[in-house]
């Protein structure tokens, strides 16, 4: 029982009292807006408003039922009773008449038309027709009449002549230039206003639903005739001089972009045109009405065509125009694909993948092509290069960056939108997703020739088109390229056997023949298995598009660099020494120079245009991300455990290369290497964010397991990437990467060795890596091959560089004699100048490569001496050093004096210091002293003493080093005396002589195939450069030779006998001399 007294108020009572007060206040407030009895629709205005308000339905009010009285504990009531407001009543017949009149702007009642000043059209012909059908007929409009009403309105021709004076005001009041589509759009917009007004009223749910149903019937009719008008605009009378049909919908679609031209938009929305907020709703209604049986194809097909082939997409200025009408196309397409059924419809149109399109015109004939081909590259969009990069030689870095930023912002917007559109199409339906994949696949198949070395760019897709498609595919790939590689196994490793979407039958495989690849595909072909997943399709399509498209664009950019070098050389040749100035040839030569300068400006502008896209940080970052992912995936396919990178694959890899790896297209490895090569040269800072470890892992994996890659040229490229990144070291590849198989192999190998030398020098500065290098050098047999290559390089490069420096010296000396030089014929002088420039280019390369190799020898001989003392190495090393020392300090050194030696990267002082240091590093090795002494071609005591004087005079070495050098001379002379004594062997039997060196053999061996006997050191030295028998060219390994022990015993006995004889002869000579005294 409650403790409250009758006069006390509980909290519940207070709460109820407050609630009743609020209800009373709301009711009082609402009563001020209650509709009066009778029709709430205002009378039809006699004026003609541009956007009339829809008539409001008539409402009949009903009294609200009395609220229940709340009993209070006190006898006096606290509040008066509250009456709930009843829902408004809708008179459907009256509302229907007013709604149809307001939406269609038609009436059967002449007085209604007159009251509106004929803004509402009196359908007199229909009135006459209806009256003829029945004696008495109501003139009220209803839903059953709407078809006849609309047709009657559409059939009225404002240009028609009539004798009916009653109907003449109707014709005179019609908008003379209004199209049927505009009228229907206006009706559709007014219908939406009626719908909004209806829902806001508080009618009963049943009445509201009935009214909405009738509105929907009218909507269907209006939309039906809108669609028919788009297909057949001449079905009803139309004004002359207006674009009719599809262009009427294309125009509002083009107005959707806020950055598009004002030509397609208006500051004030017309009552009879689609505003940007109306377009999507209108498209939805069209799709809903015409989607069944694919009728929408006929309704919107031409609209899509006219939008996507809009002339703004083919203007020369492209993306760079002041009027960005292309953005209107993008905005319109976004609106179209936002409706799923329209998105699907677009992908089944014939122009989605034109049947007879070629690689060159596909981007102009396919629906998405004109948008996807927008770009900045000068070949297809020359106006952009001319506009943004005119007078390139005058552009400051800040000016260039401003142009780059502007173009890159536009490209980012375009490529991002293209991806969004393709993504919507992919997600719209399974059929549209397949259509998108077929679109990408068609691009790949049409452009296979694009990756060729010699291809006419007019016969394949443009760079802009391919790069945009690549950007879209990169974005599609991002969801499965997570940092932990959790989805990497979703990529089907047998894709090329399971799918024919990408044809690789003509492609070179990583390490398989065409027959092996075909057999593998047949064995692994799917038969009724599960369909391939979207991830696999996108992954392999992105890889293929990169090979046939993106990488070729990068190659084109690199070719421009080479073209610019050619232009510079040509300009230098034309300018010469300027002696043509003031001669009859001046006008012609100056005209040629001007033409070349103009060509140079065009090429430089094109370079900048390429850089705007290819060096775009966002594209570079995406490209590096995908390439890193691809490199990890490739190693995973080679990893026997298929677990890389968690944990990392064990190196070196297994000798058994999996067939699924061997049959992969070689371009997968090639594109990884090529893009790493490009990125490390042009965007090395991007690796600071991510990818450095993965890059090094890829390099080390395939340089330490070179048997996984058949193409030596690719191995050489991997070495180049290592050089550019300078993040590691790999020696196993040093020999293999030089055998590129190309016609330029001889020169390619020097670039490869230069790169390796540079990397090794960097590695040498790290104590940990240096220790590892020293441990590697303990494997003498393997390290000797590397040393031999370095010695061969120095021998060739120094000989070539010193020879060409001598020729440069001679030409410069000739030119210094001005009087005699000017007397020479002009053609002679130009020829000599051209020869000089060519010699300077070659000498610069040779001196750079030679110096880097000498520096490497200096580093290695300082700590790792044993391999250099092997019999097959030490004599070659000594002979090479002696020869170059003689060139640098001997009589020929005066011929090496040239003007501006730094221009040729020739520093004779530093080079001599390095050569001397190698001598000093090995001065404690008796084998080396003996080898120097045995060099009969270049060694002389006087040469070494001359080196000592120069060393002292130019302060090349310290006092301690000078003492070591004097001691070295002494040791060499002692060794020479010993050799001369040993060499006095008299007549040596031919069978004891080495067949190649013609010196006495110390360790004779028999070659297994030719059965020739040769000294072991001679054949080992030969095999360092050539792995064949020198007498029959059959393959040979040092392990295959057989010691000729019987011959060795006879040679040893011969040597002992001759030494004893010489010793006895020496003693006899000494005794005779003593007798004389």
């Amino acid at each position: 029982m409650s403790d409250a007294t009758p006069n006390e108020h509980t909290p519940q009572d207070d709460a109820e009292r407050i609630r009743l007060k609020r209800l009373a206040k709301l009711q009082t407030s609402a009563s001020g807006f209650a509709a009066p009895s009778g029709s709430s629709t205002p009378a039809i205005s006699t004026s003609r408003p541009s956007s009339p308000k829809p008539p409001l339905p008539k409402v009949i009010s009903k009294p609200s039922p009395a609220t229940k009285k709340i009993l209070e504990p006190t006898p006096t009531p606290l509040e008066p009773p509250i009456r709930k407001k009843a829902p408004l009543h809708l008179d459907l017949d009256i509302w229907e008449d007013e709604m149809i009149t307001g939406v269609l702007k038609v009436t059967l009642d002449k007085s209604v038309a007159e009251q509106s000043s004929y803004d509402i059209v009196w359908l007199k012909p229909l009135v006459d027709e209806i009256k003829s059908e029945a004696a008495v007929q109501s003139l009220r409009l209803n839903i059953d009449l709407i078809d006849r009403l609309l047709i009657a309105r559409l059939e009225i021709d404002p240009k028609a002549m009539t004798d009916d004076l009653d109907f003449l005001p109707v014709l005179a009041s019609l908008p003379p230039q209004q199209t049927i589509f505009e009228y229907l759009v206006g009706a559709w917009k007014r219908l939406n206003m009626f719908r909004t007004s209806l829902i806001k009223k508080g009618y009963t749910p049943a009445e509201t639903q009935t009214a909405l149903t009738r509105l929907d019937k009218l909507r269907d009719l209006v939309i039906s005739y809108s669609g028919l008008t788009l297909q057949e605009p001449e079905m009803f009378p139309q004004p002359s001089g207006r674009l009719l049909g599809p262009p009427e919908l294309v125009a509002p679609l083009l107005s959707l972009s806020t950055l598009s031209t004002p030509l397609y938009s208006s500051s004030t929305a017309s009552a009879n045109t689609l505003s940007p907020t109306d377009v999507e709703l209108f498209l939805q209604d069209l799709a809903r009405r015409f989607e069944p049986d694919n009728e929408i194809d006929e309704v919107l097909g031409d609209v899509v065509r006219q939008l996507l082939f809009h002339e703004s997409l083919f203007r020369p200025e492209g993306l760079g125009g002041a009027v960005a009408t292309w953005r209107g196309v993008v905005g319109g397409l976004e609106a179209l694909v936002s409706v799923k059924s329209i998105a699907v419809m677009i992908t089944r149109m014939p122009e989605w993948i034109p049947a007879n399109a070629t690689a060159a015109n596909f981007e102009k004939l396919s629906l998405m092509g004109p948008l996807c081909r927008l770009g900045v590259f000068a070949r297809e969009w020359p106006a952009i290069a001319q506009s943004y990069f005119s007078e390139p030689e005058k552009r400051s870095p800040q000016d260039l960056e401003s142009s780059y930023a502007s173009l890159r912002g536009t490209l980012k917007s375009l490529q991002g939108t293209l991806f969004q559109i393709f993504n919507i199409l992919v997600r719209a339906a399974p059929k549209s997703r397949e259509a998108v994949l077929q679109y990408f696949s068609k691009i790949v198949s049409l452009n296979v020739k694009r990756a060729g070395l010699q291809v006419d760019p007019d016969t394949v897709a443009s760079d802009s088109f391919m790069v945009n498609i690549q950007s879209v595919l990169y974005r599609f790939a991002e969801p499965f390229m997570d940092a932990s590689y959790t989805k990497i196994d979703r990529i089907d490793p047998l894709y090329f056997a399971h799918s024919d979407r990408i044809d690789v039958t003509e492609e070179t495989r990583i390490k398989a023949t065409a027959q092996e690849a075909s057999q593998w595909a047949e064995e692994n072909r799917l038969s009724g298995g599960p369909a391939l997943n979207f991830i696999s399709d996108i992954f392999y399509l992105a890889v293929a598009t990169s090979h046939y498209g993106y990488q070729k664009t990068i190659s084109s950019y690199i070719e421009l660099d080479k073209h610019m070098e050619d232009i510079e050389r040509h300009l230098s040749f034309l300018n010469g020494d300027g002696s043509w100035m003031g001669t009859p040839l001046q006008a012609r030569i100056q005209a040629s120079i001007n033409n070349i300068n103009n060509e140079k400006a065009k090429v430089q502008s094109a370079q900048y245009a390429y850089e705007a896209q290819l060096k775009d940080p966002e594209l570079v970052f995406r490209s590096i991300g995908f390439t890193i992912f691809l490199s990890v995936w490739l190693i995973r396919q080679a990893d026997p455990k298929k677990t890389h990178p968690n944990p990392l694959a064990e190196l070196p890899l297994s000798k058994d290369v999996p067939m699924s790896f061997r049959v992969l297209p070689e371009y997968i490895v090639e594109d990884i290497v090529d893009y790493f090569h490009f990125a490390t040269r042009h965007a090395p800072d991007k690796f600071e964010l991510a990818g450095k470890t993965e890059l090094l892992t890829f390099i080390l994996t395939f340089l330490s397991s070179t048997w996984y890659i058949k193409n030596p040229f690719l191995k050489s490229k991997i070495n180049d990437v290592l050089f550019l990144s300078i993040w590691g070291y790999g020696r196993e590849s040093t020999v293999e990467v030089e055998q590129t198989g190309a016609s330029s192999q001889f020169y390619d190998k020097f670039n490869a060795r230069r790169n390796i030398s540079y990397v090794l020098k960097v590695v040498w500065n790290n104590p940990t890596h240096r220790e590892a290098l020293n441990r590697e050098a303990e494997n003498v047999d393997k390290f000797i091959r590397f040393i031999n290559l370095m010695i061969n390089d120095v021998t060739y490069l120094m000989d070539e560089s010193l020879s060409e420096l001598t020729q440069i010296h001679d030409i410069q000396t000739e030119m210094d004699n001005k009087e005699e030089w000017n007397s020479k014929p002009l053609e002679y002088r130009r020829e000599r100048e051209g020869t000089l420039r060519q010699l300077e280019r070659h000498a610069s390369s040779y001196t750079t490569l030679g110096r880097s190799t000498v520096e490497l020898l200096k580093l290695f001989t300082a700590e790792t001496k044993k391999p250099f003392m092997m019999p097959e190495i030490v004599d070659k090393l000594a002979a090479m050093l002696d020869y170059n020392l003689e060139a640098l300090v001997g009589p020929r050194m005066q011929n090496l004096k040239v003007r501006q030696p730094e221009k040729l990267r020739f520093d004779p002082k530093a080079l001599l210091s390095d050569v001397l240091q190698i001598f000093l590093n090995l001065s404690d090795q008796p084998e080396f002293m003996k080898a120097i002494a045995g060099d009969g071609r270049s060694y002389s005591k006087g040469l070494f003493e001359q080196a000592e004087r120069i060393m002292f005079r130019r302060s090349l070495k310290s006092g301690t080093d000078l003492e070591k050098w004097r001691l070295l001379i002494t040791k060499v002379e002692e060794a020479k005396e010993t050799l001369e004594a040993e060499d006095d062997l008299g007549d040596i039997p031919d069978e004891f002589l080495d067949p190649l060196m013609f010196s006495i053999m110390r360790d004779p061996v028999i070659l297994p195939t030719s059965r020739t006997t040769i000294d072991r050191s001679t054949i080992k030295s030969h095999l360092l450069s050539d792995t064949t028998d020198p007498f029959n060219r059959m393959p040979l390994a040092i392990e295959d030779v057989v010691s000729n022990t019987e011959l060795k015993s006879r040679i040893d006995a011969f040597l002992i006998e001759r030494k004893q004889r010489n010793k006895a002869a020496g003693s006899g000579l000494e005794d005779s001399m003593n007798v004389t005294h």
Side-chain angles (χ1 to χ4, degrees), residues 904-1041:
L904 305 176
R905 300 188 179 96
F906 178 54
D907 186 349
K909 184 177 179 181
L911 178 60
L912 176 59
S913 178
D914 288 344
V915 170
L916 293 172
Q917 189 61 48
I918 297 172
F919 277 108
L920 293 172
N921 289 343
L922 299 175
S923 61
D924 59 347
Q925 302 295 310
E927 297 92 339
F928 186 57
M929 301 299 102
K930 185 178 178 181
I932 295 174
D935 178 19
R937 182 183 66 165
S938 302
Y939 172 73
S940 71
K941 184 179 180 182
L943 175 69
F944 275 57
E945 289 175 341
Q946 171 69 5
E948 178 187 348
R949 289 190 291 271
I950 293 175
M951 196 186 314
F952 174 76
R953 188 168 62 248
R954 298 183 181 178
S955 302
L956 296 181
K957 298 296 178 184
S958 64
T960 303
D961 287 337
L962 281 170
E963 287 298 323
K964 289 177 65 176
W965 186 260
R966 296 187 187 104
L967 182 59
L968 179 147
I969 296 174
T970 301
K971 290 179 180 179
V972 172
E973 285 299 306
E974 292 174 351
K976 185 177 181 181
E977 291 178 2
T978 303
L979 282 175
E980 289 173 349
E982 291 178 351
D983 287 345
D984 187 14
L985 299 176
D987 291 333
I988 303 173
D990 289 345
E991 61 178 327
F992 292 174
L993 293 175
D994 184 280
L996 292 181
M997 304 302 294
F998 297 102
S999 59
I1000 192 166
M1001 293 184 286
R1002 306 289 176 155
D1003 185 6
V1005 295
I1006 301 172
L1007 305 185
T1009 57
S1010 66
R1011 307 306 299 172
T1012 303
T1013 296
I1014 192 171
D1015 194 70
R1016 186 184 298 273
S1017 63
T1018 302
I1019 193 62
K1020 286 180 72 174
S1021 179
H1022 168 78
L1023 291 176
L1024 291 175
S1025 304
D1026 188 345
T1027 57
T1028 63
D1029 186 322
F1031 301 100
N1032 61 8
R1033 312 309 299 168
M1034 297 296 290
L1036 177 66
I1038 193 62
E1039 294 80 11
D1040 300 331
V1041 303

Side-chain angles (χ1 to χ4, degrees), residues 4-35:
T5 63
N7 294 327
E8 292 180 90
H9 298 288
T10 64
Q12 291 80 2
D13 295 333
D14 293 336
E16 182 65 18
R17 186 167 59 256
I18 293 170
R19 186 182 70 81
L20 292 173
K21 286 182 178 180
R22 288 178 176 173
L23 286 173
K25 184 175 181 180
L26 288 171
Q27 186 179 30
T28 303
S29 175
S31 64
F33 297 92

Side-chain angles (χ1 to χ4, degrees), residues 26 31 78 81 83 164 201 205 310 400 403 456 474 519 587 611 624 715 724 729 777 786 806 1031:
L26 288 171
S31 64
L78 297 175
R83 295 171 61 88
D164 189 339
K201 296 293 183 179
H310 193 264
L400 282 176
S403 297
D456 181 357
Y474 279 162
Q519 182 179 350
E611 289 171 3
I624 289 177
K715 300 173 189 177
L724 290 170
Y729 164 74
F786 178 60
T806 299
F1031 301 100

Side-chain angles (χ1 to χ4, degrees), residues 501-801:
R501 201 181 295 282
I502 302 172
D503 184 6
V504 294
T505 53
E506 299 299 320
E507 293 292 341
T508 303
R509 309 307 174 101
I510 292 178
K511 199 178 176 66
T513 64
Q515 183 178 356
E516 288 173 330
S518 177
Q519 182 179 350
W520 171 85
E522 193 61 36
E523 291 172 354
N524 292 278
R525 199 169 304 282
L526 280 177
S527 56
L532 289 170
N533 59 68
F534 184 71
I535 288 178
S536 294
D537 281 322
I538 288 296
F539 175 78
Y540 287 100
L541 284 168
V543 173
T545 304
S546 173
H547 178 64
Y548 299 120
Y550 187 32
Q551 293 293 343
K552 185 63 179 180
T553 301
I554 292 174
S555 297
S556 299
Y557 168 65
I558 294 172
E559 287 300 317
L560 273 183
D561 283 344
K562 297 177 181 178
H563 186 32
M564 181 61 78
E565 292 175 3
D566 292 339
I567 289 174
E568 294 285 3
R569 282 195 291 270
H570 194 183
L571 276 175
S572 178
F573 173 75
L574 288 176
N575 284 309
D577 62 353
S579 59
W580 49 268
M581 300 289 290
T583 70
L585 294 174
Q586 177 174 346
R588 189 174 68 180
I589 294 176
Q590 187 61 57
S592 298
I593 291 174
N594 292 339
N595 289 336
I596 296 297
N597 278 325
N598 291 337
E599 176 66 15
K600 179 183 175 181
K602 290 180 182 178
V603 172
Q604 197 167 2
S605 295
Q607 283 181 305
Y608 290 152
Y610 267 105
E611 289 171 3
Q613 173 68 94
L614 296 181
K615 294 185 181 181
D616 175 14
E618 185 165 333
L619 178 62
V620 171
F621 187 74
R622 281 196 167 91
S623 301
I624 289 177
F626 184 82
T627 307
I628 288 295
F629 182 85
L630 179 59
S631 70
V632 171
W633 177 86
L634 188 65
I635 296 174
R636 193 180 185 92
Q637 306 316 302
D639 181 10
K641 298 179 181 179
K642 297 291 187 292
T643 58
H644 182 83
N646 299 310
L648 294 174
E650 296 180 7
L651 300 181
L653 296 171
S654 168
K655 291 286 186 179
D656 184 16
V657 183
M659 183 57 72
S660 60
F661 177 88
R662 293 172 55 193
V663 300
L664 288 173
E666 188 179 74
Y667 67 65
I668 293 181
V669 182
E670 183 181 1
D671 290 350
I672 293 173
V673 175
D674 282 348
Y675 193 76
F676 278 156
H677 193 278
F678 172 78
T680 50
R681 285 189 65 187
H682 298 280
D685 57 306
K686 300 300 181 292
F687 285 95
E688 296 300 324
L689 299 176
K692 187 184 296 186
T693 301
E694 291 82 358
L695 169 60
L696 182 58
T697 301
F698 174 80
I699 293 171
L700 294 182
T701 297
F702 292 106
L703 286 184
S704 66
S705 307
T706 54
W707 53 91
Y708 271 71
I709 299 175
K710 179 175 60 177
N711 187 345
F713 189 69
L714 275 181
K715 300 173 189 177
S716 178
K717 277 190 171 182
I718 295 174
N719 170 64
D720 291 344
V721 175
L722 177 62
F723 159 68
L724 290 170
S725 58
I726 322 175
W727 289 328
Y729 164 74
R731 167 144 342 96
E732 187 70 29
S733 64
T734 304
V735 179
E736 295 191 46
V737 297
E738 295 163 356
Q739 301 168 354
T740 63
S743 59
S744 58
Q745 173 177 317
F746 181 75
Y747 301 100
D748 292 339
K749 69 180 181 180
F750 289 115
N751 287 328
R753 293 177 192 176
R754 176 204 63 191
N755 297 345
I756 293 172
S757 299
Y758 190 78
V759 172
L760 290 178
K761 280 185 283 187
V762 172
V763 168
W764 194 262
N765 293 328
N766 185 304
T768 302
H769 294 323
R770 185 188 307 179
E771 183 180 350
L773 199 59
N774 286 326
R775 286 197 304 271
E776 186 73 14
E778 293 174 3
N779 186 342
V780 175
D781 289 341
K782 185 166 65 174
F783 193 64
I784 281 176
R785 295 180 64 201
F786 178 60
I787 294 172
N788 180 69
L789 293 174
M790 286 197 295
I791 294 173
N792 290 344
D793 283 357
V794 173
T795 301
Y796 173 80
L797 293 170
M798 293 300 296
D799 189 48
E800 288 296 310
S801 61

Side-chain angles (χ1 to χ4, degrees), residues 73-85:
T74 59
T76 305
L78 297 175
E79 299 290 343
I82 304 300
R83 295 171 61 88
K84 291 184 178 179
K85 183 179 179 181

Side-chain angles (χ1 to χ4, degrees), residues 824-889:
K824 300 287 186 183
L826 178 62
E827 288 301 320
Y828 173 83
R829 283 180 288 164
R830 295 183 68 174
E831 180 183 352
R832 294 291 278 169
E833 288 169 354
T835 302
L836 177 62
R837 284 190 293 271
Q838 184 178 17
L839 288 169
E840 288 174 342
R841 287 198 302 273
H842 289 173
S844 176
S845 300
Y846 287 141
T847 55
T848 301
L849 293 170
R851 173 74 191 283
S852 66
T853 312
V854 170
E855 287 179 346
L856 201 58
L857 280 173
K858 181 184 72 172
L859 294 175
F860 284 166
T861 55
E863 297 196 23
T864 307
K865 303 179 182 182
K866 181 180 177 181
F868 293 94
M869 297 301 106
M870 299 302 292
E872 60 268 32
I873 289 294
V874 66
D875 289 337
K876 290 179 65 174
L877 175 63
M880 179 271 292
L881 291 172
D882 290 345
Y883 176 80
N884 287 297
L885 183 65
E886 192 273 337
L888 291 171
V889 303

Side-chain angles (χ1 to χ4, degrees), residues 31-55:
S31 64
F33 297 92
S37 60
S39 174
S40 62
T41 306
I44 297 175
S45 173
T46 57
S47 63
R48 299 183 59 186
S50 61
S51 180
K53 296 182 180 179

